[in-house]
Amino acid sequence: MTDLTHHHTPAAAPARDSLATAGVFLAGFVVLLVFALLAQLLMLPWRGWLPGAEGEASLLGAVRAAVYTFMSHLD
């Protein structure tokens, strides 16, 4: 007998991948934001430590650029 309640639909895979990508972005953003905030409070030159953050003027923009750079290496 076939169980029809757990069938796989092809449309479910891209949605799961999108959710996983958003989760990785959010986790990376939170970790790098905490790192950047601590370094900023200690007046350390943290922008040079995070790839992609060197040219950004704002803290959030620099963290976002660093997360995108990090995520580009995951593919």
Side-chain angles (χ1 to χ4, degrees):
M1 182 172 272
T2 304
D3 183 14
L4 298 177
T5 59
H6 298 309
H7 60 86
H8 179 266
T9 59
R16 238 180 294 139
D17 288 344
S18 176
L19 188 58
T21 301
V24 169
F25 178 84
L26 184 61
F29 190 85
V30 168
V31 168
L32 291 178
L33 180 63
V34 169
F35 172 78
L37 285 172
L38 289 174
Q40 187 78 27
L41 289 173
L42 296 172
M43 296 186 188
L44 297 171
W46 60 271
R47 291 181 200 267
W49 301 341
L50 300 177
E54 298 93 353
E56 294 292 328
S58 71
L59 179 106
L60 292 178
V63 170
R64 184 181 310 121
V67 172
Y68 282 135
T69 302
F70 161 72
M71 289 184 67
S72 71
H73 293 290
L74 295 178
D75 289 336

